Amino acid sequence: MASYKVLKSVAHNVGHSFVSLMNYADDDYVMGHVLRFSRLTGHDCLTINLMTGEAAPPELLRAPVSEVPARYSKWFWDLVERQGSDRAYVRSATLNLRYDIATQRPVARNPEFVESPYVCNVRVTDSRGKEYVAHFDGWWYPERQSKQKNRRWWELWTWFSAR
């Protein structure tokens, strides 16, 4: 029998996955790419409709993270069913990530990087109107500073010794 109760855990699992170190795209974490795009464009909030995979603003969804909302939508529905609920029980589901790009501090263990605080909320509303909210906050920084040039094999020693 399908259950409403598991929707709380679905919201938590989606949010935890989104802000985790397992959410990687190309050469940085998804959170790092979104923060970098946020600083470049001034748009500080990403909203993903987990039911449809639509997201806004498009300025925060350039390559390599442009497919992330569709991937999370697919995974959201898979979680709903695998955890014992039913699609019909979900009225709405959104993930909202907001960075405070005006606030920055050097990363303690690596001062060449600058981090900003974030808040990520996942909100699932069931067909009865009850909301299940998962809240995450912390600090994040983009690890990708710029595209590094390709090095010849004999220059790799210089690259490794510089680290």
Side-chain angles (χ1 to χ4, degrees):
M1 172 140 183
S3 171
Y4 285 100
K5 188 177 181 180
V6 298
L7 295 177
K8 180 176 179 63
S9 126
V10 169
H12 173 81
N13 290 345
V14 168
H16 192 268
S17 170
F18 195 85
V19 302
S20 82
L21 296 177
M22 300 301 289
N23 193 10
Y24 204 81
D26 192 31
D27 59 353
D28 197 358
Y29 299 100
V30 169
M31 294 280 290
H33 285 294
V34 174
L35 176 54
R36 186 168 45 84
F37 296 149
S38 185
R39 288 177 178 168
L40 288 171
T41 65
H43 295 279
D44 64 355
C45 185
L46 173 66
T47 302
I48 300 174
N49 180 330
L50 295 168
M51 294 181 68
T52 65
E54 296 171 358
E59 292 84 358
L60 301 182
L61 293 167
R62 297 190 256 169
V65 296
S66 56
E67 299 301 318
V68 167
R71 189 174 73 218
Y72 268 84
S73 175
K74 183 176 188 247
W75 188 58
F76 168 77
W77 287 120
D78 185 52
L79 273 177
V80 167
E81 292 172 358
R82 277 191 299 127
Q83 291 194 14
S85 192
D86 189 292
R87 285 175 168 251
Y89 287 12
V90 179
R91 180 188 301 164
S92 68
T94 58
L95 181 147
N96 186 281
L97 171 66
R98 180 177 302 277
Y99 281 105
D100 179 358
I101 55 178
T103 303
Q104 298 183 356
R105 69 181 186 193
V107 176
R109 65 190 172 279
N110 198 344
E112 74 181 85
F113 295 109
V114 177
E115 61 187 355
S116 292
Y118 72 87
V119 173
C120 180
N121 290 305
V122 178
R123 183 176 312 273
V124 177
T125 305
D126 70 21
S127 58
R128 304 170 302 180
K130 183 173 181 181
E131 290 190 340
Y132 306 88
V133 179
H135 174 83
F136 304 88
D137 57 50
W139 291 77
W140 204 278
Y141 64 95
E143 291 188 4
R144 172 188 175 198
Q145 295 297 314
S146 62
K147 281 284 191 193
Q148 293 191 0
K149 67 177 187 169
N150 292 333
R151 297 182 184 268
R152 294 182 284 271
W153 68 271
W154 60 84
E155 294 176 318
L156 287 177
W157 177 253
T158 308
W159 183 80
F160 282 116
S161 63
R163 296 265 179 212

